[in-house]
Amino acid sequence: MATDPDGKVLDAAALLFRQKGYPVTTLRQIAGEAGVFPGSIFYRYRTKEALLLKLMERAVGRMTDAIQEAVAGSRDPVERVRIALRTHTRLLLSDDASIFVLLYDWRFLEPKTRESILRLRDGYEAFWDGLLQRASGAMPFRRGVNLKLLRLLSFGAVNWVAQWYSPSGPFTPEEIADAFWDYTCAGVLEQAAAPARRRAPARSERRPLPAPRRSR
């Protein structure tokens, strides 16, 4: 929990946005939760959207810093991906409500405001793309693997964990991340039982759908 006034406001906003929802939470409610006068919030943030943007910027910064620090202790490119996935999952399931808000409330931003968050997100994803690129050079990735799709697959699986995870459940965040990474690397079928691989046609190779027949 932050002790500086601005940090307290952001912590309070993240908590209320997660509990009540962004659309129905007011700046006055955030001021009450943070223990500050409403006027001080209006002075710092002219709109609730400006506060949401600041909160999301802080969340992206926290995730980026945490993952960069976590992977810095390993020189193994493959192990660095596993460590990064662990850290991403741990942060997502932590009590830092701003991470949850970042994941789900970006859609409430106006298009122009959303662009700045998308740029930050692009930077975070580019860092992951670099991790995967270096891992692909250190281990025998199957020919034709699209690293962007691999990253999207991993993010899609891990980010959805926030919807079903329970601290009292049978798995820790680290166990979930490790299992997802193992399934990604090794698959789930024994080699003899694996089906023949099929390549999806590229866009240029896809045949157009036949035109519908006109009824007479």
Side-chain angles (χ1 to χ4, degrees), residues 24-38:
V24 301
T25 300
T26 67
L27 290 177
R28 289 188 179 277
Q29 291 172 334
I30 294 171
E33 180 68 28
V36 300
F37 291 111

Side-chain angles (χ1 to χ4, degrees), residues 33-190:
E33 180 68 28
V36 300
F37 291 111
S40 65
I41 291 187
F42 295 132
Y43 177 78
R44 289 186 180 90
Y45 307 101
R46 297 182 61 183
T47 64
K48 186 172 64 170
E49 183 186 50
L51 195 158
L52 177 62
L53 177 61
K54 181 66 174 180
L55 178 63
M56 289 185 167
E57 290 173 345
R58 187 183 71 165
V60 173
R62 284 181 173 178
M63 294 192 75
T64 302
D65 292 345
I67 291 179
Q68 288 179 341
E69 180 179 354
V71 303
S74 175
R75 294 185 177 182
D76 183 339
V78 179
E79 179 67 6
R80 283 164 62 89
V81 177
R82 187 186 67 81
I83 293 172
L85 196 62
R86 270 189 164 204
T87 307
H88 180 99
T89 307
R90 189 185 304 117
L91 285 170
L92 180 65
L93 302 179
S94 70
D95 58 1
D96 187 346
S98 64
I99 305 298
F100 189 91
V101 171
L102 171 67
L103 191 61
Y104 295 105
D105 286 352
W106 61 269
R107 63 186 182 277
F108 294 118
L109 294 171
E110 293 295 327
K112 287 187 177 180
T113 308
R114 192 181 301 170
E115 289 178 2
S116 61
I117 285 297
L118 292 179
R119 285 194 295 270
L120 289 175
R121 186 200 66 183
D122 290 345
Y124 182 71
E125 292 178 349
F127 175 75
W128 272 91
D129 289 341
L131 289 177
L132 291 171
Q133 183 67 47
R134 286 185 285 275
S136 70
M139 66 183 297
F141 272 37
R142 203 173 71 210
R143 184 178 180 182
V145 170
N146 186 296
L147 296 181
K148 179 178 179 179
L149 290 179
L150 176 60
R151 188 245 302 158
L152 291 172
L153 171 66
S154 301
F155 276 9
V158 170
N159 290 345
W160 191 251
V161 174
Q163 295 291 334
W164 55 261
Y165 175 76
S166 172
S168 60
F171 306 110
T172 66
E174 292 77 12
E175 289 172 335
I176 294 170
D178 285 351
F180 284 3
W181 181 233
D182 288 344
Y183 298 159
T184 300
C185 290
V188 296
L189 296 178
E190 293 290 348

